[in-house]
């Protein structure tokens, strides 16, 4: 017998995972890593349901979020090429810091947007 979508335990799990992705911002990404592991472990259980699209959405969100956070720190690599020039070091450090903070802030906004959009779609009992 099929359960209504509102009573499916995968619906609650999907919602919890969205919340984990949002609050992971304040835990250095640890909760996002836990949510990702749960996504991969439970992916086969949600195959063929509306929750499969949500799980894939969450997994892709995580990997893109990680990608952009790694990219945010790439300019700091150029500090190694400043030699003994303190002015160049300061300029590269300042530019790298501004770039890093900007990219991380935008990726935070983006991951929260993706989670909220997913929650809204989940609340409407629709695949994303």
């Amino acid at each position: 017998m099929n359960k209504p979508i509102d009573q499916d335990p995968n619906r609650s799990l999907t919602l919890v995972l969205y919340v984990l992705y949002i609050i992971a911002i304040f835990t250095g990404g640890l909760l996002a890593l836990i949510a990702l592991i749960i996504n991969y472990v439970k992916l086969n259980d949600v195959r063929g349901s509306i929750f499969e699209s949500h799980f894939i959405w969450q997994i892709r969100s995580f990997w893109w979020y990680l990608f952009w956070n790694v990219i945010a720190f790439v300019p700091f690599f150029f500090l190694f090429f400043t030699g003994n020039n303190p002015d160049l070091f300061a300029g590269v450090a300042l530019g790298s810091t501004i770039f890093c903070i900007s990219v991380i802030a935008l990726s935070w906004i983006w991951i929260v947007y993706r989670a909220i959009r997913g929650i809204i779609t989940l609340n409407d009992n629709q695949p994303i």
Side-chain angles (χ1 to χ4, degrees):
M1 176 161 78
N2 291 335
K3 296 178 199 170
I5 290 175
D6 288 341
Q7 296 176 353
D8 191 324
N10 289 321
R11 185 180 195 283
S12 299
L13 177 61
T14 305
L15 179 61
V16 167
L17 293 174
Y18 277 124
V19 171
L20 284 176
Y21 280 112
I22 291 172
I23 61 176
I25 293 168
F26 306 107
T27 64
L30 179 63
L31 292 178
L33 189 59
I34 291 168
L36 179 72
I37 291 167
I38 294 169
N39 277 132
Y40 278 118
V41 168
K42 298 291 283 181
L43 187 58
N44 284 332
D45 294 347
V46 298
R47 292 262 186 231
S49 70
I50 68 163
F51 307 112
E52 180 182 11
S53 67
H54 287 276
F55 273 48
I56 294 191
W57 174 263
Q58 291 169 343
I59 290 168
R60 287 181 182 162
S61 296
F62 173 86
W63 288 115
W64 278 108
Y65 180 70
L66 179 63
F67 172 77
W68 285 111
N69 277 274
V70 168
I71 293 298
F73 288 93
V74 167
F76 287 107
F77 176 73
F78 294 106
L79 289 172
F80 292 113
F81 302 106
T82 59
N84 292 329
N85 186 340
D87 292 333
L88 182 59
F89 183 88
V92 171
L94 178 63
S96 297
T97 302
I98 291 170
F99 177 80
C100 183
I101 290 171
S102 300
V103 171
I104 288 175
L106 287 172
S107 67
W108 283 355
I109 292 167
W110 180 81
I111 196 79
V112 170
Y113 158 76
R114 299 245 324 170
I116 290 172
R117 181 171 173 212
I119 290 170
I120 291 169
T121 307
L122 179 66
N123 189 52
D124 293 338
N125 295 325
Q126 297 295 316
I128 194 153

